[in-house]
Amino acid sequence: ATTARQPDVLVVGGGIGGLSAACALARQGLRVRVLERTKEFGEVGAGLQIAPNCTRILAEYGLLEEARSLGVVPEHMVMRDALDSRELTRLDLRDLERRYGFPYMVIHRTDLHAIFLRACEHAGVELLTDQDVVGYENTEGGARVLLRNGRSEFAPLVVAADGLHSVARRLLVGDDLVSSDYVAYRAAVPIEQVRDNGISERDVTVYIGPHCHFVQYALRRGDMFNQVAVFRSPKALAGHADWGTPDELDAAFAPACDPVRRGVALMWRDRWWQMLDRDPVENWVHGRIVLLGDAAHPPLQYMAQGAIMAIEDGWVLARHHARHHARRAAAAGAGGAPDWDAVLAAYEAVRVEHCRRVQNTARAWGELWHVDGVRRLQRNALMRQRDAYDYSFTDWVYGPTALTPDEEPPMFTPIPLSSASFEDPDGALTV
Ligand code: FAD
């Protein structure tokens, strides 16, 4: 790739957020350059769930069939209790697809990342690796990024998609990461290794239990099986720096039901992910530097919306660019450079509130999943009462991505777990 011509947009970070935004903007005819810190583009980790609010966008980009051919479209999402393995509630994912018009899928992260990488190449995005961005500054008509090697680059717009530990976020907002004291272990193994473990190959299964949960689904056309084990770390609570270690994994899941314990035995033990997020902030736009993806709104992963929100961000940015571009072209004598200030204001107006809702709901969802004692029994009884075809808690997330605050659907408010308002129809609460 050549760096001779000045780009219209610099994207810092070539993760799923950065690449999907780069591809969306390049498809509008903009010259886009991606600056990625690592020596090669790639993704670490295993599976990703992608809900209809993401597959709708993939379809618009012409990438859904490729994703479908590499992933799996499960039949149900089934939630079970991690101690006794009883079913609590389920979503019928075929019916969900009919409701929202697009599938709920699971895909290997590497595959989704590679799809966007290829789409970027086709759209003419300049993809540069080994570019460690260490500074940002707004200048006349745009912004400049500073690289560790001493070079600097300028563009009318700089998109900072540099992830959870974002340098841009540190410099522009300066807030701290928030530790949940939970840690995630992952594993993607050949399906043959788990066939005798009491698994369901056609479903996404989520076991929820006291201070832990465990997620399973088939990947790569059903050839692989993905597992995520998440638990609260006693060492984190005690203030140790080295927390979430494999001995804690085994202890956390010792009381779990047999299918979960069998699954936990297969987790990768050389790497784990401490679960961190940030408090929502309102200001993602700083002159011509804009935060996107985890740099703007890193969630706890309990809604499985982190990568999706990043993809939505790029789509919204590109759609507002298209709208403003069309308006300017229609106005007499206008044209030329995009009105980035208007585009960024429109982006911030709609995305900040949506992502704040998802971040806060993810935290609340985690609390509900991880309750213990009587509250666990209350929750289980409530979940079992839910009509499997009640979509009130998915409509605001899985429906079409809003472009303006007016289009944002009202948010679902979960029922509080208060014993005062709680009825116990089948006497399940006898402790
Ligand atoms: P990242 O993927 O972190 O990418 C940032 C990129 O920027 C990286 O390539 C990095 O190398 C580069 N970079 C960083 N600093 C610099 C720098 N200074 N200069 C240049 N480049 C830099 N989301 C879902 O939608 N569905 C799920 O099912 C789901 N499951 C999850 C399960 C777990 C256990 C976890 C931890 C997360 C899960 N998520 C899920 C969330 C999702 O993984 C993230 O929200 C998403 O990957 C964020 O993408 P991003 O591109 O914003 O950031």
Side-chain angles (χ1 to χ4, degrees), residues 12-19 35-38 41-43 47-50 104 109 113 131-134 136 147 161-167 184-186 217 228 230 273-275 292-295 297-299 301 303-310:
V12 180
I16 287 172
L19 290 187
L35 304 174
E36 164 58 41
R37 175 163 61 186
T38 56
F41 285 98
E43 254 286 347
L48 262 187
Q49 303 180 49
I50 49 174
Y104 192 104
R109 279 165 184 272
H113 187 269
Q131 308 285 318
D132 190 0
V133 173
V134 294
Y136 293 79
L147 294 144
D162 52 347
L164 178 66
H165 300 278
S166 167
V167 170
Y185 278 69
R186 289 161 157 160
Y217 50 83
V228 187
V230 176
W273 286 263
Q274 296 176 344
M275 310 282 13
L292 180 144
D294 272 7
H297 45 71
Q301 90 282 13
M303 299 270 291
Q305 284 282 317
I308 297 178
M309 286 192 287

Side-chain angles (χ1 to χ4, degrees), residues 6 44 109 346 428:
Q6 181 197 297
V44 190
R109 279 165 184 272

